[in-house]
Amino acid sequence: MHNVKDDEDIEYVRSRVLSKFPLLGVVMSSLNTVADNTTKRASTDGKNVYYSPKFFDTLSDDEKVFVYAHEVMHVAFNHILRSEGRVYKVWNRATDAVINQILKSEGLPIVVDAIDMPEAINLSAEEMYDILVERYNNTPQLLYGEEQAGHDDHGIWKKVVEQEHKDNSNADEIKNFQNNNFEKDFLSKNAKERQNQAEKIINSIEKRKKEYYETTGVGTRNPLGDVGVAKPIVSWKQLLRKYINQNKYRWSYRRSDASNDYMPRVEKLRGEKMPETEVMLDVSGSIDDELLREFLRQLKPIVKNSKLKVGGFDTRVFAFKEVKNIKDINHFPIFGGGGTDLDLAVRAFSKKKEVNKIVFTDGESRFMPEEDLQNVNVIWVVYNNKDFKPCCGKVIHVDAKNLKQNCLTKNMLTKKVR
């Protein structure tokens, strides 16, 4: 059993949960995430989210988000303390049913063996509990059987409630948690909060760019402002994955496929070197430092079988450094300022065709790649600049209007290939 604070994949899952459900942010900040081989699938005791690495390895990214968000919602909705005085198996089913319909309504796939009761949508856990009690009234074995329901383990909840009574004498507080309809207005409140965050982030990005072009001088970097506060709003991993796996050059030794959720795999082939990915970050000052780091955090897991080297550019090029883990990304030096020379950025890449190349930029530059670079295979990740049309590579546009209209949803980003 170990804390997985530095696990890139889990950190990505957490960022996806926070993106879809910003109202869960406060609860998530108080929870530890623990990889536990003794847990069959996933569980929570109100302080920790436990998950089985073996089980998670069988899931797609969206299914991992489903499972992790499910556990966090049990805590956010106080399902453990609200279980006091109820038949545990029925309460377990009721809470799972309500949560799973919330997750399903947000476009997440219900995992195998998880409870799927469409009638639970917009109901409180208590309301669903009463429906199930009536439904099972003539079949006592369904009410009192020992078999655990659902895809997660609620077995620890009874002990948690007993411990609360023993340690803190919180009987009144526990009663106050009962009959509160935490779940009923969650979707509408969460959607409103998501939209508010999108508005703030888009406005902050535009404000920062305006201030930069009006006030900054060569060689300076402006302060971050609020742009990075909700950085997981953009799922770079989801955005890049489809292109990376379709690209004619190899991002790993062996093509990914459905059997491994389209993640790169490595087979050690005699005489072959580890594939490499090179990233050039626009550090001219108009792009938020934390946004750049978050891009790297989400990129790292999908090129984890490829050596990742990161450099920066403005009107100069800053040397590539190898990035091996999240710690390297968190401490990656980002400095620069002034103009943006995209021609220089492309020329800084390795000349080898088998090296994967990515440029992260807002595309605002007077110095575009020259025609002699037209055959260089580059992925351009460009924010809010549809007029960006380089002579080389493929362009992935992150569109502000689309982001605003479909904030943090499955289709929040548009991908356009030149």
mmCIF file with all atom_site columns, all heavy atoms in Angstrom, residues 365-381:
data_model
loop_
_atom_site.group_PDB
_atom_site.id
_atom_site.type_symbol
_atom_site.label_atom_id
_atom_site.label_alt_id
_atom_site.label_comp_id
_atom_site.label_asym_id
_atom_site.label_entity_id
_atom_site.label_seq_id
_atom_site.pdbx_PDB_ins_code
_atom_site.Cartn_x
_atom_site.Cartn_y
_atom_site.Cartn_z
_atom_site.occupancy
_atom_site.B_iso_or_equiv
_atom_site.pdbx_formal_charge
_atom_site.auth_seq_id
_atom_site.auth_comp_id
_atom_site.auth_asym_id
_atom_site.auth_atom_id
_atom_site.pdbx_PDB_model_num
ATOM 1   N N   . SER A 1 365 ? 3.249  35.176 -33.878 1.00 0.00 ? 365 SER A N   1
ATOM 2   C CA  . SER A 1 365 ? 4.645  35.364 -34.243 1.00 0.00 ? 365 SER A CA  1
ATOM 3   C C   . SER A 1 365 ? 4.766  35.988 -35.630 1.00 0.00 ? 365 SER A C   1
ATOM 4   O O   . SER A 1 365 ? 3.990  35.663 -36.539 1.00 0.00 ? 365 SER A O   1
ATOM 5   C CB  . SER A 1 365 ? 5.384  34.024 -34.230 1.00 0.00 ? 365 SER A CB  1
ATOM 6   O OG  . SER A 1 365 ? 6.709  34.169 -34.695 1.00 0.00 ? 365 SER A OG  1
ATOM 7   N N   . ARG A 1 366 ? 5.745  36.854 -35.782 1.00 0.00 ? 366 ARG A N   1
ATOM 8   C CA  . ARG A 1 366 ? 6.049  37.414 -37.110 1.00 0.00 ? 366 ARG A CA  1
ATOM 9   C C   . ARG A 1 366 ? 7.012  36.505 -37.867 1.00 0.00 ? 366 ARG A C   1
ATOM 10  O O   . ARG A 1 366 ? 7.242  36.695 -39.056 1.00 0.00 ? 366 ARG A O   1
ATOM 11  C CB  . ARG A 1 366 ? 6.675  38.809 -36.957 1.00 0.00 ? 366 ARG A CB  1
ATOM 12  C CG  . ARG A 1 366 ? 5.711  39.870 -36.431 1.00 0.00 ? 366 ARG A CG  1
ATOM 13  C CD  . ARG A 1 366 ? 6.429  41.199 -36.298 1.00 0.00 ? 366 ARG A CD  1
ATOM 14  N NE  . ARG A 1 366 ? 7.509  41.117 -35.319 1.00 0.00 ? 366 ARG A NE  1
ATOM 15  C CZ  . ARG A 1 366 ? 8.466  42.037 -35.181 1.00 0.00 ? 366 ARG A CZ  1
ATOM 16  N NH1 . ARG A 1 366 ? 8.493  43.078 -35.992 1.00 0.00 ? 366 ARG A NH1 1
ATOM 17  N NH2 . ARG A 1 366 ? 9.392  41.900 -34.255 1.00 0.00 ? 366 ARG A NH2 1
ATOM 18  N N   . PHE A 1 367 ? 7.575  35.525 -37.148 1.00 0.00 ? 367 PHE A N   1
ATOM 19  C CA  . PHE A 1 367 ? 8.594  34.672 -37.755 1.00 0.00 ? 367 PHE A CA  1
ATOM 20  C C   . PHE A 1 367 ? 8.059  33.248 -37.885 1.00 0.00 ? 367 PHE A C   1
ATOM 21  O O   . PHE A 1 367 ? 8.196  32.427 -36.979 1.00 0.00 ? 367 PHE A O   1
ATOM 22  C CB  . PHE A 1 367 ? 9.875  34.691 -36.915 1.00 0.00 ? 367 PHE A CB  1
ATOM 23  C CG  . PHE A 1 367 ? 10.398 36.086 -36.677 1.00 0.00 ? 367 PHE A CG  1
ATOM 24  C CD1 . PHE A 1 367 ? 10.194 36.709 -35.458 1.00 0.00 ? 367 PHE A CD1 1
ATOM 25  C CD2 . PHE A 1 367 ? 11.083 36.766 -37.676 1.00 0.00 ? 367 PHE A CD2 1
ATOM 26  C CE1 . PHE A 1 367 ? 10.675 37.991 -35.225 1.00 0.00 ? 367 PHE A CE1 1
ATOM 27  C CE2 . PHE A 1 367 ? 11.563 38.048 -37.454 1.00 0.00 ? 367 PHE A CE2 1
ATOM 28  C CZ  . PHE A 1 367 ? 11.353 38.671 -36.230 1.00 0.00 ? 367 PHE A CZ  1
ATOM 29  N N   . MET A 1 368 ? 7.408  32.967 -39.016 1.00 0.00 ? 368 MET A N   1
ATOM 30  C CA  . MET A 1 368 ? 6.853  31.652 -39.277 1.00 0.00 ? 368 MET A CA  1
ATOM 31  C C   . MET A 1 368 ? 7.919  30.750 -39.894 1.00 0.00 ? 368 MET A C   1
ATOM 32  O O   . MET A 1 368 ? 8.919  31.234 -40.446 1.00 0.00 ? 368 MET A O   1
ATOM 33  C CB  . MET A 1 368 ? 5.662  31.773 -40.235 1.00 0.00 ? 368 MET A CB  1
ATOM 34  C CG  . MET A 1 368 ? 4.490  32.562 -39.664 1.00 0.00 ? 368 MET A CG  1
ATOM 35  S SD  . MET A 1 368 ? 3.729  31.712 -38.261 1.00 0.00 ? 368 MET A SD  1
ATOM 36  C CE  . MET A 1 368 ? 2.888  30.378 -39.115 1.00 0.00 ? 368 MET A CE  1
ATOM 37  N N   . PRO A 1 369 ? 7.732  29.420 -39.823 1.00 0.00 ? 369 PRO A N   1
ATOM 38  C CA  . PRO A 1 369 ? 8.696  28.505 -40.437 1.00 0.00 ? 369 PRO A CA  1
ATOM 39  C C   . PRO A 1 369 ? 8.846  28.778 -41.936 1.00 0.00 ? 369 PRO A C   1
ATOM 40  O O   . PRO A 1 369 ? 7.845  29.009 -42.629 1.00 0.00 ? 369 PRO A O   1
ATOM 41  C CB  . PRO A 1 369 ? 8.085  27.123 -40.186 1.00 0.00 ? 369 PRO A CB  1
ATOM 42  C CG  . PRO A 1 369 ? 7.217  27.314 -38.988 1.00 0.00 ? 369 PRO A CG  1
ATOM 43  C CD  . PRO A 1 369 ? 6.665  28.690 -39.106 1.00 0.00 ? 369 PRO A CD  1
ATOM 44  N N   . GLU A 1 370 ? 10.064 28.741 -42.425 1.00 0.00 ? 370 GLU A N   1
ATOM 45  C CA  . GLU A 1 370 ? 10.332 28.958 -43.839 1.00 0.00 ? 370 GLU A CA  1
ATOM 46  C C   . GLU A 1 370 ? 9.994  27.707 -44.661 1.00 0.00 ? 370 GLU A C   1
ATOM 47  O O   . GLU A 1 370 ? 9.844  26.608 -44.113 1.00 0.00 ? 370 GLU A O   1
ATOM 48  C CB  . GLU A 1 370 ? 11.806 29.327 -44.044 1.00 0.00 ? 370 GLU A CB  1
ATOM 49  C CG  . GLU A 1 370 ? 12.237 30.610 -43.329 1.00 0.00 ? 370 GLU A CG  1
ATOM 50  C CD  . GLU A 1 370 ? 11.633 31.861 -43.949 1.00 0.00 ? 370 GLU A CD  1
ATOM 51  O OE1 . GLU A 1 370 ? 11.171 31.777 -45.108 1.00 0.00 ? 370 GLU A OE1 1
ATOM 52  O OE2 . GLU A 1 370 ? 11.617 32.909 -43.279 1.00 0.00 ? 370 GLU A OE2 1
ATOM 53  N N   . GLU A 1 371 ? 9.865  27.886 -45.971 1.00 0.00 ? 371 GLU A N   1
ATOM 54  C CA  . GLU A 1 371 ? 9.400  26.809 -46.845 1.00 0.00 ? 371 GLU A CA  1
ATOM 55  C C   . GLU A 1 371 ? 10.326 25.595 -46.846 1.00 0.00 ? 371 GLU A C   1
ATOM 56  O O   . GLU A 1 371 ? 9.886  24.476 -47.108 1.00 0.00 ? 371 GLU A O   1
ATOM 57  C CB  . GLU A 1 371 ? 9.238  27.326 -48.277 1.00 0.00 ? 371 GLU A CB  1
ATOM 58  C CG  . GLU A 1 371 ? 8.044  28.252 -48.463 1.00 0.00 ? 371 GLU A CG  1
ATOM 59  C CD  . GLU A 1 371 ? 6.722  27.582 -48.138 1.00 0.00 ? 371 GLU A CD  1
ATOM 60  O OE1 . GLU A 1 371 ? 6.553  26.404 -48.517 1.00 0.00 ? 371 GLU A OE1 1
ATOM 61  O OE2 . GLU A 1 371 ? 5.866  28.216 -47.497 1.00 0.00 ? 371 GLU A OE2 1
ATOM 62  N N   . ASP A 1 372 ? 11.598 25.794 -46.547 1.00 0.00 ? 372 ASP A N   1
ATOM 63  C CA  . ASP A 1 372 ? 12.511 24.645 -46.557 1.00 0.00 ? 372 ASP A CA  1
ATOM 64  C C   . ASP A 1 372 ? 12.211 23.663 -45.431 1.00 0.00 ? 372 ASP A C   1
ATOM 65  O O   . ASP A 1 372 ? 12.749 22.565 -45.393 1.00 0.00 ? 372 ASP A O   1
ATOM 66  C CB  . ASP A 1 372 ? 13.970 25.117 -46.474 1.00 0.00 ? 372 ASP A CB  1
ATOM 67  C CG  . ASP A 1 372 ? 14.283 25.814 -45.168 1.00 0.00 ? 372 ASP A CG  1
ATOM 68  O OD1 . ASP A 1 372 ? 13.605 26.823 -44.851 1.00 0.00 ? 372 ASP A OD1 1
ATOM 69  O OD2 . ASP A 1 372 ? 15.197 25.358 -44.455 1.00 0.00 ? 372 ASP A OD2 1
ATOM 70  N N   . LEU A 1 373 ? 11.316 24.049 -44.500 1.00 0.00 ? 373 LEU A N   1
ATOM 71  C CA  . LEU A 1 373 ? 10.944 23.171 -43.381 1.00 0.00 ? 373 LEU A CA  1
ATOM 72  C C   . LEU A 1 373 ? 9.624  22.439 -43.630 1.00 0.00 ? 373 LEU A C   1
ATOM 73  O O   . LEU A 1 373 ? 9.112  21.769 -42.732 1.00 0.00 ? 373 LEU A O   1
ATOM 74  C CB  . LEU A 1 373 ? 10.832 23.993 -42.089 1.00 0.00 ? 373 LEU A CB  1
ATOM 75  C CG  . LEU A 1 373 ? 12.101 24.695 -41.607 1.00 0.00 ? 373 LEU A CG  1
ATOM 76  C CD1 . LEU A 1 373 ? 11.790 25.590 -40.417 1.00 0.00 ? 373 LEU A CD1 1
ATOM 77  C CD2 . LEU A 1 373 ? 13.177 23.681 -41.235 1.00 0.00 ? 373 LEU A CD2 1
ATOM 78  N N   . GLN A 1 374 ? 9.076  22.542 -44.838 1.00 0.00 ? 374 GLN A N   1
ATOM 79  C CA  . GLN A 1 374 ? 7.719  22.054 -45.081 1.00 0.00 ? 374 GLN A CA  1
ATOM 80  C C   . GLN A 1 374 ? 7.559  20.551 -44.884 1.00 0.00 ? 374 GLN A C   1
ATOM 81  O O   . GLN A 1 374 ? 6.450  20.057 -44.659 1.00 0.00 ? 374 GLN A O   1
ATOM 82  C CB  . GLN A 1 374 ? 7.279  22.435 -46.489 1.00 0.00 ? 374 GLN A CB  1
ATOM 83  C CG  . GLN A 1 374 ? 8.119  21.862 -47.605 1.00 0.00 ? 374 GLN A CG  1
ATOM 84  C CD  . GLN A 1 374 ? 7.657  22.342 -48.966 1.00 0.00 ? 374 GLN A CD  1
ATOM 85  O OE1 . GLN A 1 374 ? 6.458  22.524 -49.177 1.00 0.00 ? 374 GLN A OE1 1
ATOM 86  N NE2 . GLN A 1 374 ? 8.590  22.535 -49.886 1.00 0.00 ? 374 GLN A NE2 1
ATOM 87  N N   . ASN A 1 375 ? 8.619  19.800 -44.935 1.00 0.00 ? 375 ASN A N   1
ATOM 88  C CA  . ASN A 1 375 ? 8.516  18.348 -44.755 1.00 0.00 ? 375 ASN A CA  1
ATOM 89  C C   . ASN A 1 375 ? 8.792  17.889 -43.324 1.00 0.00 ? 375 ASN A C   1
ATOM 90  O O   . ASN A 1 375 ? 8.819  16.686 -43.054 1.00 0.00 ? 375 ASN A O   1
ATOM 91  C CB  . ASN A 1 375 ? 9.474  17.636 -45.708 1.00 0.00 ? 375 ASN A CB  1
ATOM 92  C CG  . ASN A 1 375 ? 9.079  17.816 -47.165 1.00 0.00 ? 375 ASN A CG  1
ATOM 93  O OD1 . ASN A 1 375 ? 7.886  17.812 -47.482 1.00 0.00 ? 375 ASN A OD1 1
ATOM 94  N ND2 . ASN A 1 375 ? 10.061 17.990 -48.035 1.00 0.00 ? 375 ASN A ND2 1
ATOM 95  N N   . VAL A 1 376 ? 8.994  18.824 -42.412 1.00 0.00 ? 376 VAL A N   1
ATOM 96  C CA  . VAL A 1 376 ? 9.234  18.463 -41.012 1.00 0.00 ? 376 VAL A CA  1
ATOM 97  C C   . VAL A 1 376 ? 7.910  18.079 -40.367 1.00 0.00 ? 376 VAL A C   1
ATOM 98  O O   . VAL A 1 376 ? 6.922  18.818 -40.430 1.00 0.00 ? 376 VAL A O   1
ATOM 99  C CB  . VAL A 1 376 ? 9.881  19.627 -40.239 1.00 0.00 ? 376 VAL A CB  1
ATOM 100 C CG1 . VAL A 1 376 ? 10.086 19.227 -38.771 1.00 0.00 ? 376 VAL A CG1 1
ATOM 101 C CG2 . VAL A 1 376 ? 11.209 20.014 -40.877 1.00 0.00 ? 376 VAL A CG2 1
ATOM 102 N N   . ASN A 1 377 ? 7.872  16.917 -39.757 1.00 0.00 ? 377 ASN A N   1
ATOM 103 C CA  . ASN A 1 377 ? 6.648  16.394 -39.151 1.00 0.00 ? 377 ASN A CA  1
ATOM 104 C C   . ASN A 1 377 ? 6.518  16.915 -37.719 1.00 0.00 ? 377 ASN A C   1
ATOM 105 O O   . ASN A 1 377 ? 7.135  16.401 -36.792 1.00 0.00 ? 377 ASN A O   1
ATOM 106 C CB  . ASN A 1 377 ? 6.685  14.864 -39.160 1.00 0.00 ? 377 ASN A CB  1
ATOM 107 C CG  . ASN A 1 377 ? 5.354  14.255 -38.777 1.00 0.00 ? 377 ASN A CG  1
ATOM 108 O OD1 . ASN A 1 377 ? 4.320  14.604 -39.335 1.00 0.00 ? 377 ASN A OD1 1
ATOM 109 N ND2 . ASN A 1 377 ? 5.379  13.347 -37.828 1.00 0.00 ? 377 ASN A ND2 1
ATOM 110 N N   . VAL A 1 378 ? 5.688  17.931 -37.546 1.00 0.00 ? 378 VAL A N   1
ATOM 111 C CA  . VAL A 1 378 ? 5.533  18.598 -36.250 1.00 0.00 ? 378 VAL A CA  1
ATOM 112 C C   . VAL A 1 378 ? 4.060  18.606 -35.858 1.00 0.00 ? 378 VAL A C   1
ATOM 113 O O   . VAL A 1 378 ? 3.186  18.792 -36.711 1.00 0.00 ? 378 VAL A O   1
ATOM 114 C CB  . VAL A 1 378 ? 6.041  20.057 -36.305 1.00 0.00 ? 378 VAL A CB  1
ATOM 115 C CG1 . VAL A 1 378 ? 5.850  20.744 -34.954 1.00 0.00 ? 378 VAL A CG1 1
ATOM 116 C CG2 . VAL A 1 378 ? 7.483  20.117 -36.732 1.00 0.00 ? 378 VAL A CG2 1
ATOM 117 N N   . ILE A 1 379 ? 3.775  18.403 -34.573 1.00 0.00 ? 379 ILE A N   1
ATOM 118 C CA  . ILE A 1 379 ? 2.436  18.657 -34.052 1.00 0.00 ? 379 ILE A CA  1
ATOM 119 C C   . ILE A 1 379 ? 2.459  20.047 -33.428 1.00 0.00 ? 379 ILE A C   1
ATOM 120 O O   . ILE A 1 379 ? 3.235  20.320 -32.505 1.00 0.00 ? 379 ILE A O   1
ATOM 121 C CB  . ILE A 1 379 ? 2.019  17.640 -32.972 1.00 0.00 ? 379 ILE A CB  1
ATOM 122 C CG1 . ILE A 1 379 ? 1.971  16.230 -33.555 1.00 0.00 ? 379 ILE A CG1 1
ATOM 123 C CG2 . ILE A 1 379 ? 0.663  18.008 -32.391 1.00 0.00 ? 379 ILE A CG2 1
ATOM 124 C CD1 . ILE A 1 379 ? 1.612  15.178 -32.529 1.00 0.00 ? 379 ILE A CD1 1
ATOM 125 N N   . TRP A 1 380 ? 1.613  20.934 -33.919 1.00 0.00 ? 380 TRP A N   1
ATOM 126 C CA  . TRP A 1 380 ? 1.464  22.266 -33.348 1.00 0.00 ? 380 TRP A CA  1
ATOM 127 C C   . TRP A 1 380 ? 0.227  22.278 -32.453 1.00 0.00 ? 380 TRP A C   1
ATOM 128 O O   . TRP A 1 380 ? -0.871 21.995 -32.922 1.00 0.00 ? 380 TRP A O   1
ATOM 129 C CB  . TRP A 1 380 ? 1.275  23.319 -34.436 1.00 0.00 ? 380 TRP A CB  1
ATOM 130 C CG  . TRP A 1 380 ? 2.401  23.433 -35.414 1.00 0.00 ? 380 TRP A CG  1
ATOM 131 C CD1 . TRP A 1 380 ? 2.565  22.731 -36.568 1.00 0.00 ? 380 TRP A CD1 1
ATOM 132 C CD2 . TRP A 1 380 ? 3.522  24.323 -35.327 1.00 0.00 ? 380 TRP A CD2 1
ATOM 133 N NE1 . TRP A 1 380 ? 3.708  23.116 -37.217 1.00 0.00 ? 380 TRP A NE1 1
ATOM 134 C CE2 . TRP A 1 380 ? 4.327  24.104 -36.471 1.00 0.00 ? 380 TRP A CE2 1
ATOM 135 C CE3 . TRP A 1 380 ? 3.933  25.290 -34.400 1.00 0.00 ? 380 TRP A CE3 1
ATOM 136 C CZ2 . TRP A 1 380 ? 5.494  24.803 -36.713 1.00 0.00 ? 380 TRP A CZ2 1
ATOM 137 C CZ3 . TRP A 1 380 ? 5.093  25.991 -34.629 1.00 0.00 ? 380 TRP A CZ3 1
ATOM 138 C CH2 . TRP A 1 380 ? 5.864  25.752 -35.774 1.00 0.00 ? 380 TRP A CH2 1
ATOM 139 N N   . VAL A 1 381 ? 0.378  22.582 -31.171 1.00 0.00 ? 381 VAL A N   1
ATOM 140 C CA  . VAL A 1 381 ? -0.757 22.747 -30.274 1.00 0.00 ? 381 VAL A CA  1
ATOM 141 C C   . VAL A 1 381 ? -0.922 24.244 -30.066 1.00 0.00 ? 381 VAL A C   1
ATOM 142 O O   . VAL A 1 381 ? -0.076 24.904 -29.463 1.00 0.00 ? 381 VAL A O   1
ATOM 143 C CB  . VAL A 1 381 ? -0.527 22.031 -28.929 1.00 0.00 ? 381 VAL A CB  1
ATOM 144 C CG1 . VAL A 1 381 ? -1.742 22.203 -28.027 1.00 0.00 ? 381 VAL A CG1 1
ATOM 145 C CG2 . VAL A 1 381 ? -0.247 20.552 -29.159 1.00 0.00 ? 381 VAL A CG2 1
#
